[in-house]
Short mmCIF file of all heavy atoms in Angstrom, two decimals:
data_model
loop_
_atom_site.label_atom_id
_atom_site.label_comp_id
_atom_site.label_asym_id
_atom_site.label_seq_id
_atom_site.Cartn_x
_atom_site.Cartn_y
_atom_site.Cartn_z
N GLY A 1374 19.41 10.42 0.70
CA GLY A 1374 19.49 11.58 1.57
C GLY A 1374 18.20 12.34 1.75
O GLY A 1374 18.11 13.23 2.56
N SER A 1375 17.18 12.03 0.97
CA SER A 1375 15.91 12.73 1.15
C SER A 1375 14.79 11.88 0.62
O SER A 1375 15.00 10.90 -0.06
CB SER A 1375 15.93 14.07 0.41
OG SER A 1375 15.96 13.87 -0.97
N SER A 1376 13.57 12.28 0.95
CA SER A 1376 12.39 11.61 0.46
C SER A 1376 11.45 12.66 -0.09
O SER A 1376 11.46 13.79 0.35
CB SER A 1376 11.69 10.85 1.58
OG SER A 1376 12.54 9.87 2.10
N THR A 1377 10.65 12.27 -1.06
CA THR A 1377 9.70 13.20 -1.63
C THR A 1377 8.35 12.54 -1.68
O THR A 1377 8.24 11.39 -2.07
CB THR A 1377 10.12 13.58 -3.07
OG1 THR A 1377 11.45 14.08 -3.03
CG2 THR A 1377 9.21 14.63 -3.65
N ALA A 1378 7.31 13.26 -1.28
CA ALA A 1378 5.95 12.76 -1.38
C ALA A 1378 5.14 13.80 -2.12
O ALA A 1378 5.18 14.97 -1.80
CB ALA A 1378 5.36 12.52 0.00
N GLN A 1379 4.40 13.38 -3.12
CA GLN A 1379 3.63 14.29 -3.95
C GLN A 1379 2.18 14.25 -3.54
O GLN A 1379 1.60 13.19 -3.45
CB GLN A 1379 3.79 13.84 -5.40
CG GLN A 1379 2.81 14.45 -6.36
CD GLN A 1379 2.90 13.74 -7.69
OE1 GLN A 1379 3.95 13.32 -8.11
NE2 GLN A 1379 1.78 13.58 -8.34
N VAL A 1380 1.62 15.40 -3.27
CA VAL A 1380 0.20 15.50 -2.95
C VAL A 1380 -0.40 16.45 -3.97
O VAL A 1380 -0.01 17.61 -4.04
CB VAL A 1380 -0.02 16.06 -1.52
CG1 VAL A 1380 -1.50 16.15 -1.22
CG2 VAL A 1380 0.69 15.21 -0.50
N THR A 1381 -1.32 15.98 -4.80
CA THR A 1381 -1.91 16.82 -5.82
C THR A 1381 -2.96 17.71 -5.20
O THR A 1381 -4.00 17.25 -4.77
CB THR A 1381 -2.55 15.95 -6.92
OG1 THR A 1381 -1.58 15.01 -7.36
CG2 THR A 1381 -3.00 16.79 -8.09
N ALA A 1382 -2.66 19.00 -5.14
CA ALA A 1382 -3.57 20.00 -4.57
C ALA A 1382 -3.00 21.36 -4.92
O ALA A 1382 -1.82 21.49 -5.18
CB ALA A 1382 -3.67 19.85 -3.06
N PRO A 1383 -3.82 22.40 -4.92
CA PRO A 1383 -3.28 23.73 -5.16
C PRO A 1383 -2.22 24.04 -4.11
O PRO A 1383 -2.37 23.70 -2.94
CB PRO A 1383 -4.50 24.64 -5.00
CG PRO A 1383 -5.68 23.75 -5.20
CD PRO A 1383 -5.26 22.39 -4.73
N ALA A 1384 -1.12 24.69 -4.53
CA ALA A 1384 -0.01 24.95 -3.64
C ALA A 1384 -0.45 25.69 -2.38
O ALA A 1384 0.10 25.46 -1.31
CB ALA A 1384 1.07 25.75 -4.38
N SER A 1385 -1.43 26.56 -2.47
CA SER A 1385 -1.86 27.32 -1.31
C SER A 1385 -2.72 26.50 -0.36
O SER A 1385 -2.99 26.92 0.76
CB SER A 1385 -2.63 28.56 -1.77
OG SER A 1385 -3.79 28.14 -2.48
N ALA A 1386 -3.16 25.30 -0.78
CA ALA A 1386 -4.10 24.51 0.02
C ALA A 1386 -3.43 23.74 1.14
O ALA A 1386 -4.10 23.33 2.07
CB ALA A 1386 -4.86 23.54 -0.88
N VAL A 1387 -2.13 23.51 1.06
CA VAL A 1387 -1.47 22.66 2.06
C VAL A 1387 -0.04 23.14 2.29
O VAL A 1387 0.65 23.51 1.35
CB VAL A 1387 -1.50 21.17 1.63
CG1 VAL A 1387 -0.69 20.92 0.39
CG2 VAL A 1387 -1.06 20.26 2.74
N SER A 1388 0.38 23.15 3.56
CA SER A 1388 1.77 23.43 3.89
C SER A 1388 2.50 22.10 4.07
O SER A 1388 1.87 21.05 4.22
CB SER A 1388 1.86 24.25 5.18
OG SER A 1388 1.53 23.44 6.30
N ALA A 1389 3.82 22.14 4.09
CA ALA A 1389 4.60 20.93 4.29
C ALA A 1389 4.26 20.27 5.63
O ALA A 1389 4.05 19.06 5.70
CB ALA A 1389 6.09 21.25 4.21
N ASN A 1390 4.17 21.07 6.68
CA ASN A 1390 3.86 20.51 8.00
C ASN A 1390 2.45 19.93 8.05
O ASN A 1390 2.22 18.89 8.67
CB ASN A 1390 4.06 21.56 9.09
CG ASN A 1390 5.53 21.87 9.30
OD1 ASN A 1390 6.39 21.04 9.05
ND2 ASN A 1390 5.82 23.07 9.76
N ASP A 1391 1.48 20.61 7.40
CA ASP A 1391 0.12 20.08 7.35
C ASP A 1391 0.08 18.74 6.63
O ASP A 1391 -0.59 17.80 7.07
CB ASP A 1391 -0.83 21.06 6.64
CG ASP A 1391 -1.11 22.30 7.47
OD1 ASP A 1391 -0.88 22.28 8.70
OD2 ASP A 1391 -1.58 23.30 6.87
N ALA A 1392 0.80 18.63 5.51
CA ALA A 1392 0.83 17.39 4.75
C ALA A 1392 1.42 16.26 5.59
O ALA A 1392 0.88 15.15 5.63
CB ALA A 1392 1.61 17.56 3.45
N VAL A 1393 2.53 16.53 6.29
CA VAL A 1393 3.16 15.52 7.14
C VAL A 1393 2.19 15.08 8.24
O VAL A 1393 2.03 13.88 8.49
CB VAL A 1393 4.48 16.04 7.75
CG1 VAL A 1393 4.97 15.12 8.87
CG2 VAL A 1393 5.54 16.16 6.67
N GLN A 1394 1.52 16.03 8.88
CA GLN A 1394 0.57 15.69 9.94
C GLN A 1394 -0.59 14.86 9.40
O GLN A 1394 -1.02 13.90 10.05
CB GLN A 1394 0.05 16.96 10.62
CG GLN A 1394 1.09 17.63 11.48
CD GLN A 1394 0.60 18.97 12.05
OE1 GLN A 1394 -0.54 19.37 11.83
NE2 GLN A 1394 1.47 19.66 12.77
N ASN A 1395 -1.10 15.22 8.22
CA ASN A 1395 -2.21 14.47 7.62
C ASN A 1395 -1.79 13.06 7.25
O ASN A 1395 -2.54 12.10 7.46
CB ASN A 1395 -2.77 15.20 6.41
CG ASN A 1395 -3.56 16.42 6.79
OD1 ASN A 1395 -4.03 16.54 7.91
ND2 ASN A 1395 -3.71 17.34 5.86
N ILE A 1396 -0.59 12.90 6.70
CA ILE A 1396 -0.09 11.58 6.33
C ILE A 1396 0.07 10.73 7.59
O ILE A 1396 -0.37 9.58 7.65
CB ILE A 1396 1.25 11.68 5.57
CG1 ILE A 1396 1.02 12.30 4.19
CG2 ILE A 1396 1.90 10.31 5.43
CD1 ILE A 1396 2.30 12.72 3.49
N GLN A 1397 0.70 11.29 8.62
CA GLN A 1397 0.93 10.56 9.87
C GLN A 1397 -0.39 10.16 10.51
O GLN A 1397 -0.57 9.03 10.95
CB GLN A 1397 1.76 11.42 10.83
CG GLN A 1397 2.29 10.66 12.01
CD GLN A 1397 3.46 9.76 11.67
OE1 GLN A 1397 4.38 10.15 10.97
NE2 GLN A 1397 3.42 8.53 12.14
N LYS A 1398 -1.34 11.09 10.55
CA LYS A 1398 -2.65 10.82 11.15
C LYS A 1398 -3.39 9.70 10.40
O LYS A 1398 -3.93 8.78 11.00
CB LYS A 1398 -3.49 12.09 11.15
CG LYS A 1398 -4.85 11.93 11.79
CD LYS A 1398 -5.61 13.24 11.75
CE LYS A 1398 -7.02 13.07 12.29
NZ LYS A 1398 -7.79 14.31 12.18
N PHE A 1399 -3.38 9.80 9.06
CA PHE A 1399 -4.03 8.77 8.27
C PHE A 1399 -3.39 7.41 8.51
O PHE A 1399 -4.06 6.43 8.78
CB PHE A 1399 -3.98 9.11 6.77
CG PHE A 1399 -4.26 7.91 5.91
CD1 PHE A 1399 -5.56 7.45 5.76
CD2 PHE A 1399 -3.24 7.22 5.29
CE1 PHE A 1399 -5.83 6.32 4.99
CE2 PHE A 1399 -3.50 6.10 4.53
CZ PHE A 1399 -4.79 5.65 4.38
N TYR A 1400 -2.08 7.37 8.42
CA TYR A 1400 -1.39 6.09 8.52
C TYR A 1400 -1.53 5.48 9.91
O TYR A 1400 -1.58 4.26 10.05
CB TYR A 1400 0.08 6.23 8.12
CG TYR A 1400 0.63 4.91 7.67
CD1 TYR A 1400 0.24 4.36 6.45
CD2 TYR A 1400 1.45 4.17 8.48
CE1 TYR A 1400 0.70 3.12 6.05
CE2 TYR A 1400 1.91 2.92 8.09
CZ TYR A 1400 1.53 2.41 6.87
OH TYR A 1400 1.97 1.18 6.49
N ALA A 1401 -1.62 6.32 10.94
CA ALA A 1401 -1.80 5.81 12.30
C ALA A 1401 -3.16 5.14 12.46
O ALA A 1401 -3.33 4.26 13.30
CB ALA A 1401 -1.66 6.94 13.31
N GLY A 1402 -4.13 5.51 11.62
CA GLY A 1402 -5.49 4.99 11.77
C GLY A 1402 -5.83 3.81 10.90
O GLY A 1402 -6.98 3.35 10.90
#
Side-chain angles (χ1 to χ4, degrees):
S1375 68
S1376 298
T1377 304
Q1379 166 191 325
V1380 181
T1381 308
S1385 62
V1387 65
S1388 71
N1390 289 333
D1391 289 342
V1393 167
Q1394 288 175 2
N1395 287 339
I1396 291 167
Q1397 192 75 45
K1398 182 180 175 183
F1399 163 76
Y1400 204 72

